[in-house]
Amino acid sequence: MHLIIILAALLLAWYLRLQWSNSAQNWAKRWQCALLCFALPPLLLIITAASIICMGPNGYMADLDNGWFSYFLALGFGGWVLVKWLQLAFRGYGGVQQIRASTQTNIGDKSARILETSALFSAQIGFWQPELVVSQGLLEKLDMAHLEAVLAHEQGHYYYRDTFWFFWLGWLRSFTFWLPNTEALWEELLALRELRADRWAAERVDPLLLAESLLFVASDRVQLMEHFCAAFSQYVRRNRLEERIEALLTPDSSPGLNWWDWSWLFLAFVPLFAVPFHG
């Protein structure tokens, strides 16, 4: 019976990922659809494995025997998921420690770490309390008005705690790379994350200054620690760059999120209802 539950969860996870399409919708709807399609399948698989581990290899369910094979399959998947989390956590911790070894200074009213490189780079790096990191090249090549626009964008990432949440999303990505649309959804979420920070910054600085700064730094390709780094200077494809520029120069008329649609997340907890029927 446990094997049937595992197969049903795999088929449902595969089906849910196939339902996503990158259609032209407003920003809020795109964010909601992409996040649900990205996060729901791996959460379903994790909770299915946890339910089977809790029920154990012995006993019956609906008059069907539960074997060791499905139990070890769930246990192996759970172990793999844990290893992936540990790998990302240690990598993130090491990256944060490297950043904290950099020189710290004040830029206006903000504290920042300075990277001694000519590349045009700015980012929030860390987890729940990330640190602002800017390159020496950015400080030298941008005037104060454009620099303040860039820092406002980074403050948007801090406001939404993007480094923290994308660490967890990156963890989900790491063990579901074999599901359809994983990379396409990840790229969509990264792009929408930047759009959200742009929108937040555009309410506090001149959107034209922000757009000019984006065009100026977009040519520099910087290797990022993408799971715990949110960067204004993150390299984007030309169509994504045009999308960000257009969004900055177009008045915002997008409706808010439909919180009722988030009830789909409860689908991930359905396997837990099988636990009481295990005997």
Side-chain angles (χ1 to χ4, degrees):
M1 186 61 183
H2 288 175
L3 193 57
I4 294 176
I5 295 175
I6 291 173
L7 291 174
L10 285 171
L11 289 174
L12 183 56
W14 197 276
Y15 173 78
L16 289 171
R17 277 293 180 83
L18 288 175
Q19 297 312 296
W20 177 74
S21 62
N22 189 8
S23 56
Q25 300 169 321
N26 64 68
W27 174 90
K29 188 65 175 178
R30 282 175 60 193
W31 175 263
Q32 184 170 285
C33 291
L35 192 55
L36 278 173
C37 288
F38 184 86
L40 182 53
L43 290 176
L44 175 64
L45 296 178
I46 291 173
I47 294 175
T48 298
S51 300
I52 292 172
I53 292 170
C54 289
M55 288 185 284
N58 300 314
Y60 291 83
M61 182 184 298
D63 295 329
L64 294 176
D65 189 16
N66 300 313
W68 284 92
F69 176 75
S70 55
Y71 176 76
F72 280 125
L73 195 62
L75 199 62
F77 179 75
W80 182 41
V81 166
L82 179 60
V83 167
K84 287 293 184 180
W85 182 84
L86 289 172
Q87 287 177 341
L88 284 179
F90 280 119
R91 192 185 308 166
Y93 177 77
V96 170
Q97 292 303 110
Q98 287 182 339
I99 291 301
R100 287 178 177 170
S102 304
T103 304
Q104 189 171 18
T105 189
N106 290 325
I107 305 175
D109 60 346
K110 297 178 179 62
S111 177
R113 300 282 181 177
I114 307 300
L115 292 182
E116 298 296 333
T117 174
S118 60
L120 305 182
F121 179 78
S122 69
Q124 294 284 351
I125 296 179
F127 296 98
W128 183 254
Q129 293 285 351
E131 293 197 65
L132 176 62
V133 179
V134 298
S135 68
Q136 189 64 41
L138 191 74
L139 295 177
E140 293 173 354
K141 295 179 182 178
L142 289 188
D143 59 43
M144 185 52 66
H146 288 86
L147 183 60
E148 287 178 354
V150 171
L151 297 183
H153 173 95
E154 297 302 343
Q155 190 63 27
H157 285 308
Y158 184 90
Y159 176 81
Y160 289 110
R161 307 289 180 178
D162 282 336
T163 52
F164 176 78
W165 296 114
F166 271 78
F167 167 77
W168 293 102
L169 291 175
W171 171 56
L172 297 181
R173 173 199 179 203
S174 69
F175 64 85
T176 55
F177 59 88
W178 45 272
L179 285 175
N181 289 325
T182 296
E183 289 307 310
L185 278 164
W186 178 252
E187 292 296 329
E188 174 78 350
L189 288 172
L190 288 177
L192 292 172
R193 180 187 72 177
E194 297 309 312
L195 281 172
R196 183 172 66 175
D198 285 344
R199 289 153 57 92
W200 192 91
E203 295 175 359
R204 292 156 178 83
V205 298
D206 186 352
L208 184 58
L209 283 175
L210 192 60
E212 289 174 349
S213 302
L214 179 59
L215 285 172
F216 191 70
V217 303
S219 59
D220 269 31
R221 299 192 181 195
V222 181
Q223 186 67 30
L224 299 177
M225 301 167 285
E226 59 184 10
H227 297 297
F228 48 95
C229 171
F232 178 76
S233 52
Q234 179 168 350
Y235 175 74
V236 290
R237 295 189 299 272
R238 182 175 179 82
N239 61 324
R240 294 293 195 184
L241 177 62
E242 291 174 353
E243 181 182 20
R244 286 180 66 181
I245 297 296
E246 183 178 354
L248 283 170
L249 303 181
T250 304
D252 177 28
S253 58
S254 299
L257 295 176
N258 183 356
W259 294 105
W260 177 252
D261 288 346
W262 291 103
S263 61
W264 280 98
L265 284 175
F266 287 106
L267 184 63
F269 296 90
V270 168
L272 293 176
F273 290 102
V275 176
F277 297 98
H278 181 267

